[in-house]
Amino acid sequence: MSAIPALLALAVLALLPGEASADGEKAVTPAEHYAELLAEEPEGAAVAVDGAIGGALEPEEMTDDLHTVFGGLGLPYYVVVSPFLGWGAEIAEGKIAASLHDRLGADGLYVVLEPQGRALEVEAYGVDADTETALHVALTHPELPYDAPATEVAGVIVDALKDPSIADELRAERETFWLLREETWADLHPSGPDGPESLGFLLGAVGGAAVAVGGWGAWRLARHRRSGRATTVGLSAVVVAAGVVIAPGAWVAAAPVADYEKPDPEDVARTQPPYVVSTARAAHIAEELGEDPLYVDPLLQLPRAGLDEEAAEFGGAPVPVYAAVVPLSSNDESGGDHEVLAAAVASLAEREGVYLVVGRGIGDTVSVGAAAHGLKTGYSLDSEMYEADADNPAAALRKAVAALDEVDFASGGTYIPGFADSEPGTPEPRMVRYWGEGVALGFLVYGLFVAPAAIAGVWLGLYGFRVWRGGGRVVGDSVLRRLAQREAERLRALLARREGGFPEELLPQADAALLTLDAQPRTLDMLGVVVLARRLLAEAEEPAATRREPCAVNPLHPWATERGRPRERSGSRPRVCVRCAQLSPEARSARVLRLRSRTTAHAYNSHPADPWIRYRFGADDPAAMVEALLKEQHVS
């Protein structure tokens, strides 16, 4: 059996064009290329890591790690890691696992991975493995970041193959309320990529909500002339808000420095030769260019026509020229940057000259990157390559070589590419993100805007519920105070004029109403002042009119002129206004005026022994009511 892959590899090699061929032969497909690489490995334990991988691992290191991961599975495995097979990649031809199996003719587990981030294919041939679940877990696992190296993705795949119930656990986790998920709290850890700002935003929102609630409470207390308690509540809210954001801030500052907070290894590599972390492809290209000035990658999917002719003209350039025409990807060692790969090749080359990398640019455009070895220029060659863009590699190469005529080269110098001057980027300081992007934003957006809106919504909802449940009107101190003050002012104005002669018998009631309002009136007292003042004003204007009595359902209604329908058991018929007289006893009971307190609302007549209720706001025995009110106010 071991001879079969070798024979297949020989057959494939016989059909492949030479790596440096540019004579228009058909390009090697990814399945052909990676099947050849896998055939060179031991059967049942084959790993092919493309030399162009990006990330912090060298191909050899990643290969060893993948053997360790898949070796513990107990199944034959064939693994490909390539930057050129992902979604949107230049040479991707869709799924290749089936083609790899057909070419190798060996059963086992076939896995295709990107160097960072995604599992592309997980298939099983002739072995028992739940590959569909394993791929799903690898694509949805919350602990795998988008740029996780292939070795970590492989570890998740192997775990899922060993225990497919992991998928059910992840599904249950996703269905759990978001605040109870482990990943939610993991995202708030200061060492996470978005942890400082996420935690700061949450705590800022809580602190802002505390200030909003405390301010609302202080305002309510101040309106009720309780300034001392209002100040206490307001200051307490500020102290709570400060504690909520300051105390965790110390934990954020002290958390260990995470890898993402350090300069990215690939960014650091860009500042000095060889400009890439993984040098496998660059070294291979440099070696090939040591024998031939033109190298064409076997996986290249761009037109090859005319490349040999252009290479033949290299001798007319002012300096030696070497060119590599290759596929590029944002996941490769250069990040898809022509100039980076050219600089890496030039730094590893042994011969003096200009090294060009030709590959697909933006859209269907072919672009060129350039770097020099053993030559010095006054500036980076990238500016000269801007005009080399073309619709095919041969035309782009022709333009690039022609542009070298405009460059002054000095032999024996050191070439420094323009991108090498850029400092490796790092996130903003952790505490800046915690306070600026987190606490401040959460405090302003949620604390001072959303929280007050939520408070208003809850208050209106409770108010509406009380009204709906009580069926009648609900009034509180603020409304009754305004009404009482307005009616008291009208009463004072009438007493001051005395032109028409205010009835003497009504003076004690007027004094009682004004004294009650000037004291510390309860909610019921303010309702009583409103009703009593209205009755006194009406009787002063029309002394001979029919006796005025408040409506038993709602004393703020028009005066009672009717008898309501009697209750079935008691047979009582309360005095009510015309509108309430038309209601059934049940409807009248539901519409009784309710006075709002701090926590609830209750019927205005819920305390029958109170003077206002016992004497029906002065309609019955006003002298006794006045005496009782003055006694409560300690006035004799």
Side-chain angles (χ1 to χ4, degrees):
M1 290 295 292
S2 60
I4 293 178
L7 292 175
L8 287 172
L10 291 174
V12 170
L13 288 172
L15 295 173
L16 294 180
E19 285 190 341
S21 174
D23 57 6
E25 292 187 45
K26 181 181 179 182
V28 177
T29 67
E32 291 172 332
H33 178 72
Y34 293 114
E36 175 191 351
L37 297 178
L38 291 172
E40 297 172 358
E41 298 293 313
E43 183 179 0
V47 174
V49 177
D50 197 296
I53 64 167
L57 296 178
E58 290 281 0
E60 295 80 5
E61 184 179 357
M62 180 175 287
T63 299
D64 292 341
D65 290 347
L66 290 173
H67 276 300
T68 301
V69 172
F70 285 101
L73 190 59
L75 295 174
Y77 59 88
Y78 300 86
V79 182
V80 172
V81 181
S82 170
F84 303 123
L85 301 177
W87 301 317
E90 178 183 332
I91 63 173
E93 63 167 18
K95 296 184 177 181
I96 68 167
S99 296
L100 292 174
H101 174 249
D102 290 342
R103 293 175 183 279
L104 294 175
D107 287 341
L109 181 70
Y110 285 75
V111 180
V112 181
L113 305 171
E114 287 188 329
Q116 300 178 74
R118 283 195 300 265
L120 300 176
E121 296 180 72
V122 182
E123 299 290 346
Y125 299 95
V127 296
D128 184 18
D130 188 353
T131 56
E132 182 178 353
T133 297
L135 179 59
H136 174 73
V137 170
L139 294 176
T140 60
H141 201 291
E143 295 182 8
L144 274 181
Y146 73 94
D147 57 351
T151 50
E152 291 186 18
V153 177
V156 170
I157 292 173
V158 169
D159 289 341
L161 288 171
K162 291 179 178 179
D163 182 12
S165 65
I166 291 176
D168 297 328
E169 295 174 5
L170 292 177
R171 188 179 303 108
E173 174 73 8
R174 286 192 298 272
E175 293 173 354
T176 303
F177 180 61
W178 68 275
L179 276 177
L180 302 179
R181 298 176 192 168
E182 292 184 9
E183 63 181 283
T184 299
W185 297 106
D187 291 340
L188 296 176
H189 195 279
S191 295
D194 299 317
E197 45 267 67
S198 297
L199 179 62
F201 187 90
L202 176 62
L203 296 178
V206 173
V211 171
V213 172
W216 179 74
W219 172 74
R220 293 278 306 222
L221 290 170
R223 291 190 62 198
H224 291 81
R225 301 179 183 178
R226 297 171 183 170
S227 57
R229 294 185 64 181
T231 301
T232 301
V233 169
L235 291 176
S236 298
V238 173
V239 170
V240 168
V244 164
V245 298
I246 292 176
W251 172 54
V252 172
V257 177
D259 289 341
Y260 82 92
E261 295 177 288
K262 305 172 185 177
D264 185 271
E266 292 187 282
D267 291 339
V268 174
R270 299 285 187 266
T271 63
Q272 56 189 0
Y275 306 111
V276 294
V277 174
S278 173
T279 59
R281 179 166 66 155
H284 174 67
I285 294 174
E287 183 180 356
E288 292 292 328
L289 292 178
E291 301 177 0
D292 192 310
L294 176 65
Y295 168 80
V296 181
D297 193 284
L299 283 175
L300 181 72
Q301 304 298 299
L302 297 174
R304 303 181 178 211
L307 286 174
D308 282 336
E309 290 78 359
E310 295 303 327
E313 301 297 326
F314 285 177
V319 292
V321 175
Y322 307 91
V325 188
V326 298
L328 294 169
S329 165
S330 60
N331 289 322
D332 67 21
E333 80 278 57
S334 69
D337 191 315
H338 306 71
E339 186 186 10
V340 171
L341 184 56
V345 172
S347 69
L348 298 172
E350 297 181 354
R351 294 195 291 183
E352 179 183 284
V354 173
Y355 289 80
L356 305 176
V357 168
V358 183
R360 190 183 301 278
I362 299 174
D364 293 330
T365 301
V366 175
S367 299
V368 182
H373 177 80
L375 299 172
K376 184 177 181 181
T377 64
Y379 46 84
S380 177
L381 292 175
D382 64 322
S383 59
E384 303 297 331
M385 296 299 110
Y386 286 151
E387 303 299 326
D389 287 358
D391 58 3
N392 65 81
L397 187 56
R398 184 186 318 116
K399 291 182 178 181
V401 173
L404 297 179
D405 292 334
E406 306 299 325
V407 182
D408 294 327
F409 293 98
S411 181
T414 300
Y415 176 79
I416 299 177
F419 62 78
D421 291 334
S422 301
E423 291 293 328
T426 56
E428 287 187 297
R430 185 185 293 176
M431 296 309 292
V432 171
R433 290 183 290 135
Y434 174 74
W435 288 106
E437 301 174 31
V439 172
L441 191 61
F443 185 89
L444 293 175
V445 174
Y446 274 81
L448 298 185
F449 291 96
V450 176
I455 292 171
V458 171
W459 185 85
L460 290 174
L462 293 175
Y463 175 78
F465 175 76
R466 288 198 299 264
V467 172
W468 170 78
R469 188 171 182 180
R473 185 181 181 189
V474 179
V475 295
D477 284 0
S478 58
V479 173
L480 290 175
R481 187 179 299 278
R482 288 196 299 270
L483 291 175
Q485 290 175 346
R486 185 181 67 187
E487 300 300 337
E489 288 302 319
R490 292 178 58 203
L491 185 58
R492 287 192 182 96
L494 182 60
L495 290 172
R497 289 198 306 268
R498 301 290 292 268
E499 296 174 357
F502 191 84
E504 294 292 335
E505 65 274 13
L506 299 182
L507 286 176
Q509 297 181 61
D511 291 338
L514 297 177
L515 287 172
T516 299
L517 184 61
D518 290 339
Q520 293 183 344
R522 304 163 299 160
T523 306
L524 180 59
D525 289 331
M526 288 184 285
L527 174 64
V529 170
V530 173
V531 178
L532 180 56
R534 287 178 177 178
R535 185 171 61 78
L536 295 176
L537 289 167
E539 292 190 6
E541 292 177 3
E542 299 182 61
T546 306
R547 189 174 116 181
R548 295 165 177 82
E549 301 180 43
C551 175
V553 174
N554 187 338
L556 298 177
H557 281 183
W559 301 114
T561 57
E562 307 289 336
R563 289 283 186 181
R565 300 178 187 177
R567 292 184 177 275
E568 293 182 2
R569 295 183 180 179
S570 64
S572 61
R573 300 183 64 192
R575 298 281 294 180
V576 295
C577 65
V578 174
R579 184 176 59 180
C580 293
Q582 300 172 358
L583 302 176
S584 66
E586 292 76 14
R588 288 202 307 270
S589 178
R591 285 167 172 73
V592 170
L593 177 68
R594 301 167 69 82
L595 304 181
R596 186 188 307 112
S597 66
R598 293 183 185 176
T599 58
T600 185
H602 58 275
Y604 81 94
N605 54 5
S606 57
H607 299 289
D610 191 280
W612 293 110
I613 307 304
R614 183 192 308 172
Y615 302 110
R616 296 175 61 215
F617 300 97
D620 296 339
D621 200 349
M625 183 192 72
V626 169
E627 182 180 356
L629 292 176
L630 295 180
K631 184 177 181 181
E632 288 184 355
Q633 301 299 331
H634 305 289
V635 177
S636 57

